[in-house]
Amino acid sequence: MVTLEFHDPSGTIEVKQPHASRVSALDGRKLLEADFPGIEVLPIDAFPQGNAVIGSEETAALVKQSGVDAVIIGNAA
Amino acid sequence: MTRADFVGVMTNAVAGLGLAPDAAMVTFPIEMFLPGSDISAVEARKREFYEGLTRWRSAIATDVAGEAPMIKVQAASVEDAFSRANHMMLANRWGDGLPLWPPTRERADWILRGSTQPRRHRIGIFPPRGGVTTVETCAIALAMAGGRPEYLPVLVAAVDAFLDPESGSAQLQAASGSAFPVVIVNGPIGVQIRLNSGFGCLGPDPQRPAGASIGRALRLLQQNVGGALPGIGTMANYGGVRYTNAVFAEDEANLPPGWSPHATERHAFAHGQSSISLAFANGATNIRRRGAKKETPEEDALQGMYRMADFMRVPNMPGLAGYEHGTPGILMIPGVVANTMAGLGWTKASIREFLWEHSRIPTEHLRRAGCPAWLEIDSSKVVRESIALDPWPITASPDNFVVVVAGGGHPTNSYWLQGYSPGVVGRTVELPSGFEELLADTDRDLGPR
C-alpha cells in the first residue's frame, strides 16, 4: 500500500473580529420599513448608491452620522 | 442583500475583512438588480431581513487560524496514489483541470531552498477570501504547478506586489472583467532561471519553462488561497489567459542603446537589479505591425506605430481603473523592431507620446457606445473631468503606457496586453545564498541552457 501525504494548499483564515452584534428587537429603531409603530422610515436612496461610492469612508460616515441602528447593504455589481 | 450567484463572492469578501466566512444574507435572482426591475420581492421577504438583523448567528464561532492540515491518500501503487491525489485536489476545487504535482513535504521543502525567508514568513492576506499567505504557501503552490526552487524568489516578489493594495487585486480578483496578472521580470534572473523573453514568450516553451510554472502557481494562489473560483469567488465572464497568467522577461540583451529597462523607468530600480513589475490586463492581441511591400524603414516604423495606436483606440471602460496611476496596457515590441526604430530616432518616451496622441477616441464615438455614463460615475475626478476632452485620451498621461522590448527576433508583429490595472507595482527579487547551486541542479536536471 502506498501512502501519499501532501499539504492542503488553501492556507488558513484568521477570524480577527466577530460579526456585529444583532439588535434584540426592531421596535423603536430607524429602518427602511414601516412595519413597526414609531419607526422612522428612510427612503431607499437615503445613502449613496453605486459601485464607486457604496464602500467609501464618506458613505460609512454618513450612515454613522444618521444614527441608524442597522444597515442592509445590497450588492449585485 | 445580494444576487443568488454572488454568495461565494460575498463570503470571500466577508472573510477577507477578518470576519468569520459567513454572513446573514438574503439572496435574489440577478433580474431584480437590473435597472427598472420589479423589487416587490424585497418587501415580500422582509421577515428574512428582520431575522438577519436580530436572530442570525455565525456558524463559525472560533478563530480558525493555525497550520493547514496534511492530506493523505492511500493506493495500491504510486501511479494510483498520484491519480487519487489529483482527483482529490479537483474535488476540493484546488486544481485547474491540468495535472497537478501533489505538494508533499519533500517537494515543498525542496522548493523552499529558493527562499531567503523562513517558511512561515507572512507575506500578507490574499484577497478577497483573506487566506494567510506565507513563503510556504507560495512554495506549496509552486510545487503543485511543477515549479523549481529557483523560481520561488520571483513568485514571492510577484505575490508581494499582488498583495499591495496599489495593485487593485482585492477588486480584480472578484470582478467580472477577466483581469489577469502580468509579471514583467527585469535583471539577470530572467536568463538565470530560464524565463522566456523571445519567441513565444507568452506561451508554453519547454526550453524556458519558468514562466508557465510561476504564472500557474500565482493563479493557484489566487484561486485556492484568495478564493477566486470561477462563478463562485470570481465573476469573470471568461477568465482568459488564466491558466498561467502572463510571466515573461524583458529582452534586455536587445534593448537599444539609451533605452532603459522597464523596471528602471517605472520603478527606478537600478539597471542590473533583478526585479518584477506587476500589472493587470484583460486582453491579449497580436498586432501585425510590419508593412507588406518595399516600405522605407521610416514608413514601416511610422505605419506600424499608427497601426498599433489604432488597436488601442477602443472604449476599454475597465481601463478607467488605471486611468490616473495605472496603465492602459503593455505594448511588447521585438528587439529587432526597437533597434530599427531607435536608429530612426524613436525613444520609449516618443513612442508613448505617439500612442497617447493617436489612440484618442472622438467624443461622438464614445457617446454612441454609451461610454460617458461610465466616466460620469467613476470615483476619480480626473476620469470624470476627462469627459470634456475631445478626442478623449485612453489614459491620463502618455507615461502610463508600459512599453517593453520582448518577443521573437523578427519584425512582423508586436503585442498589446490591454490594461485593467489600477497600478503597476514593482518589487526587487531577493536571492538565497545557495542560488548558484540551484542553477547547477537545473543544468543537471534539464541540460545546459
Side-chain angles (χ1 to χ4, degrees):
Chain A
M1 180 67 69
V2 173
T3 300
L4 188 60
E5 195 177 40
F6 55 92
H7 291 279
D8 176 328
S10 59
T12 58
I13 300 284
E14 287 178 341
V15 177
K16 291 186 281 197
Q17 56 181 328
H19 284 282
S21 305
R22 306 293 104 174
V23 294
S24 56
L26 295 175
D27 294 341
R29 308 288 183 178
K30 292 181 186 178
L31 274 182
L32 294 173
E33 175 56 55
D35 269 1
F36 299 90
I39 288 292
E40 180 179 343
V41 178
L42 299 181
I44 201 161
D45 59 353
F47 300 113
Q49 298 171 304
N51 286 359
V53 296
I54 192 172
S56 68
E57 290 297 326
E58 290 76 15
T59 300
L62 283 172
V63 170
K64 198 168 175 182
Q65 275 165 27
S66 72
V68 295
D69 298 289
V71 176
I72 300 167
I73 300 171
N75 182 342
Chain B
M1 180 170 77
T2 191
R3 285 162 49 179
D5 54 349
F6 253 30
V7 171
V9 174
M10 295 308 298
T11 306
N12 276 344
V14 167
L17 291 170
L19 299 163
D22 63 357
M25 281 192 249
V26 183
T27 62
F28 297 87
I30 185 175
E31 287 75 19
M32 201 194 75
F33 294 88
L34 301 176
S37 67
D38 174 11
I39 61 169
S40 59
V42 176
E43 175 140 5
R45 293 173 65 187
K46 59 190 177 188
R47 295 286 160 198
E48 293 176 63
F49 287 97
Y50 301 158
E51 285 282 315
L53 290 169
T54 55
R55 293 169 62 168
W56 178 85
R57 296 291 182 270
S58 172
I60 301 165
T62 58
D63 184 342
V64 296
E67 290 193 14
M70 298 296 286
I71 313 290
K72 205 180 281 193
V73 295
Q74 292 188 311
S77 66
V78 169
E79 182 177 327
D80 195 28
F82 192 91
S83 180
R84 286 181 186 225
N86 265 265
H87 295 162
M88 179 180 283
M89 285 189 278
L90 269 184
N92 279 295
R93 299 176 173 175
W94 294 332
D96 54 9
L98 298 170
L100 291 163
W101 196 298
T104 59
R105 275 188 225 276
E106 291 81 2
R107 197 79 187 173
D109 289 352
W110 177 63
I111 299 280
L112 280 165
R113 290 176 61 203
S115 176
T116 60
Q117 301 275 9
R119 64 174 63 215
R120 300 266 186 262
H121 172 75
R122 182 165 160 145
I123 303 172
I125 301 292
F126 218 108
R129 175 175 167 262
V132 177
T133 309
T134 62
V135 169
E136 183 178 64
T137 317
C138 294
I140 290 167
L142 192 53
M144 290 171 74
R148 298 185 60 91
E150 65 269 22
Y151 307 166
L152 187 62
V154 170
L155 177 63
V156 166
V159 169
D160 195 58
F162 189 103
L163 301 185
D164 188 326
E166 190 187 321
S167 76
S169 61
Q171 292 75 36
L172 296 177
Q173 276 277 78
S176 63
S178 298
F180 58 89
V182 179
V183 180
I184 305 166
V185 177
N186 278 108
I189 195 166
V191 171
Q192 288 170 333
I193 68 171
R194 310 185 188 208
L195 183 61
N196 201 346
S197 63
F199 282 101
C201 58
L202 293 178
D205 179 3
Q207 303 163 97
R208 285 165 284 273
S213 299
I214 295 167
R216 191 182 181 208
L218 181 54
R219 176 54 55 181
L220 291 172
L221 289 165
Q222 289 175 260
Q223 177 184 280
N224 300 336
V225 186
L229 272 168
I232 298 174
T234 169
M235 291 296 113
N237 289 85
Y238 298 105
V241 192
R242 284 182 168 187
Y243 280 103
T244 57
N245 298 315
V247 181
F248 65 94
E250 185 165 30
D251 184 9
E252 291 190 26
N254 286 302
L255 276 169
W259 283 34
S260 292
H262 162 71
T264 303
E265 287 194 310
R266 192 82 189 209
H267 307 301
F269 294 148
H271 197 155
Q273 165 70 58
S274 287
S275 66
I276 67 96
S277 180
L278 182 140
F280 282 89
N282 67 352
T285 309
N286 188 80
I287 302 171
R288 181 178 288 187
R289 57 149 300 287
R290 178 177 59 80
K293 293 189 175 176
K294 292 190 188 303
E295 292 83 6
T296 65
E298 291 79 2
E299 286 171 338
D300 185 82
L302 187 61
Q303 288 169 9
M305 285 297 301
Y306 274 113
R307 206 172 302 160
M308 290 188 281
D310 287 349
F311 267 87
M312 298 169 189
R313 194 186 312 111
V314 296
N316 175 32
M317 290 295 99
L320 295 178
Y323 197 80
E324 267 188 272
H325 305 297
T327 182
I330 298 162
L331 176 67
M332 302 167 70
I333 54 176
V336 63
V337 172
N339 279 280
T340 302
M341 292 183 70
L344 297 169
W346 290 92
T347 63
K348 277 194 181 183
S350 63
I351 288 172
R352 290 193 188 97
E353 282 286 343
F354 186 100
L355 294 174
W356 186 75
E357 187 60 43
H358 295 285
S359 62
R360 296 168 74 133
I361 304 175
T363 297
E364 180 205 331
H365 292 188
L366 280 183
R367 195 171 292 122
R368 72 186 181 191
C371 297
W374 285 104
L375 275 67
E376 284 162 13
I377 66 167
D378 200 270
S379 58
S380 160
K381 187 166 176 250
V382 170
V383 169
R384 295 194 301 272
E385 290 178 348
S386 74
I387 289 179
L389 301 172
D390 186 9
W392 180 77
I394 65 169
T395 188
S397 164
D399 293 341
N400 288 346
F401 284 90
V402 172
V403 177
V404 293
V405 174
H410 67 80
T412 305
N413 301 289
S414 57
Y415 215 84
W416 175 237
L417 294 168
Q418 180 177 269
Y420 182 177
S421 199
V424 181
V425 183
R427 290 291 189 271
T428 56
V429 174
E430 308 303 321
L431 301 180
S433 54
F435 191 66
E436 291 299 323
E437 273 180 47
L438 300 179
L439 301 182
D441 288 347
T442 305
D443 287 347
R444 177 201 64 209
D445 294 343
L446 303 184
R449 271 178 274 152

